[in-house]
Amino acid sequence: MERELLYLEDFVAGQRFTSGEYEITEQGIRAFAAEFDPQPFHLDEAAAKASVFAGLAASGWHTAAVTMRLLVTSGLPFAGGLIGLGGEIAWPRPTRPGDIVHVESEIVDVRPSRTKPMQGIVTVRNVLKNQKGEDLQIFTAKILSFRRSACAPS
Amino acid sequence: MERELLYLEDFVAGQRFTSGEYEITEQGIRAFAAEFDPQPFHLDEAAAKASVFAGLAASGWHTAAVTMRLLVTSGLPFAGGLIGLGGEIAWPRPTRPGDIVHVESEIVDVRPSRTKPMQGIVTVRNVLKNQKGEDLQIFTAKILSFRRSACAPS
């Protein structure tokens, strides 16, 4: 990864980042669901057709995990890594087999810590989109960020 | 699963549910991270020791996925399945190798849909706890719930 890493003092509200792409496969949907979300509409096409999803859909947590992969590998160049404290998540529509997804991120707020001078919290709105530009997941995250001087090589 | 499934009209604020247990393993932490959150503090003990986590920690999304497994298999007996629309998530402390976790859930709000008479939204606060009773994740979820008549066998 050749990306320039960003520190707390580099972030400003309105900055935007776009990740690379990831293809959602039926096999991936089933494998994740079998381990973590074993419900018929994530595992079986016929059961999924009869469900509220009207077809096989990825677990929302699979969608979230893929979003994280994209953010870590290409989306958000936070120095010190992507350490989320939490946030608000919504899945406005299902993720489907064959979807090619990417994340569009926007810095919403930058807040230095009152108690820890070397760090702060950056709020980022991350929208996972499919190849049609439809929003699959919106995750507004609070992410730990470090000042440049906190990460100086020791 | 022999649990009695609950419909929209069965839920009331204050109801509580407790899931079974799940053991977090170092192998599980690494496997999830390699696929979805490839950061050193989720993959390598030495790097993790030097990080803000001060030791190997599970990806927050791994923690979320394990929580979902517990909710689906033993925690929340929603008729029609566990279909989350979104919610608020926080990770107050890291999930560690060897942690034995379970979920304690409480119904916070029950709201019939204004437009879809056969369904509604149930808000549930789900706290993932380790064997010491420490909170690892708090996820307040909005979950789709169906009226009994919506799920009548056809």
Side-chain angles (χ1 to χ4, degrees):
Chain A
M1 285 181 285
E2 306 272 335
R3 300 178 295 157
E4 188 196 359
L5 295 175
L6 300 181
Y7 294 85
L8 183 61
E9 51 267 54
D10 301 323
F11 289 108
V12 290
Q15 267 172 318
R16 290 168 183 275
F17 303 89
T18 302
S19 80
E21 293 181 336
Y22 183 99
E23 182 176 353
I24 306 288
T25 66
E26 185 175 325
Q27 189 191 348
I29 288 176
R30 287 181 203 276
F32 188 99
E35 188 169 0
F36 296 116
D37 191 350
Q39 302 194 85
F41 36 72
H42 300 319
L43 290 165
D44 178 73
E45 183 61 44
K49 275 223 163 73
S51 79
V52 70
F53 290 110
L56 200 71
S59 169
W61 302 108
H62 185 197
T63 299
V66 165
T67 301
M68 189 62 178
R69 179 178 181 88
L70 288 170
L71 291 176
V72 164
T73 57
S74 62
L76 288 177
F78 275 56
L82 273 188
I83 301 172
L85 304 176
E88 214 176 311
I89 196 164
W91 297 285
R93 61 173 66 66
T95 299
R96 304 291 192 179
D99 277 355
I100 295 171
V101 297
H102 72 279
V103 193
E104 298 183 9
S105 302
E106 181 176 354
I107 305 299
V108 173
D109 188 57
V110 180
R111 200 165 293 264
S113 168
R114 277 169 300 180
T115 55
K116 296 176 181 166
M118 288 301 120
Q119 62 191 55
I121 307 286
V122 177
T123 304
V124 192
R125 186 171 187 272
N126 303 288
V127 182
L128 186 79
K129 289 178 178 277
N130 65 14
Q131 66 282 5
K132 298 177 213 161
E134 295 169 329
D135 296 357
L136 303 183
Q137 179 186 280
I138 301 162
F139 179 50
T140 302
K142 290 185 186 306
I143 301 176
L144 197 58
S145 176
F146 301 96
R147 286 194 191 279
R148 191 164 267 101
S149 48
C151 299
S154 56
Chain B
M1 286 180 286
E2 307 270 336
R3 301 177 296 157
E4 187 196 359
L5 296 175
L6 300 181
Y7 295 86
L8 183 60
E9 53 266 55
D10 301 324
F11 289 108
V12 290
Q15 268 172 318
R16 288 169 184 276
F17 303 89
T18 302
S19 80
E21 293 180 335
Y22 183 100
E23 183 175 353
I24 306 288
T25 66
E26 186 177 325
Q27 190 191 348
I29 288 175
R30 286 181 203 274
F32 189 99
E35 188 168 2
F36 296 116
D37 192 349
Q39 302 195 84
F41 36 73
H42 300 318
L43 289 166
D44 178 73
E45 183 61 43
K49 274 223 164 72
S51 79
V52 70
F53 290 111
L56 200 71
S59 168
W61 302 108
H62 186 197
T63 300
V66 165
T67 302
M68 189 61 178
R69 180 179 180 89
L70 287 170
L71 291 176
V72 163
T73 56
S74 62
L76 289 177
F78 275 56
L82 273 189
I83 301 170
L85 304 176
E88 214 175 312
I89 195 164
W91 297 286
R93 63 173 65 67
T95 299
R96 303 291 191 180
D99 276 356
I100 295 171
V101 297
H102 72 279
V103 194
E104 299 184 7
S105 303
E106 180 175 355
I107 305 299
V108 174
D109 187 57
V110 180
R111 201 164 293 263
S113 167
R114 278 169 300 181
T115 55
K116 296 177 181 165
M118 288 301 121
Q119 61 191 56
I121 307 286
V122 177
T123 304
V124 191
R125 186 170 187 273
N126 304 288
V127 182
L128 186 78
K129 289 176 178 277
N130 65 13
Q131 67 281 5
K132 299 177 212 160
E134 296 168 329
D135 296 355
L136 303 183
Q137 178 187 281
I138 301 163
F139 179 50
T140 302
K142 291 185 185 307
I143 301 176
L144 197 57
S145 176
F146 301 96
R147 286 196 190 278
R148 190 163 266 103
S149 47
C151 299
S154 55

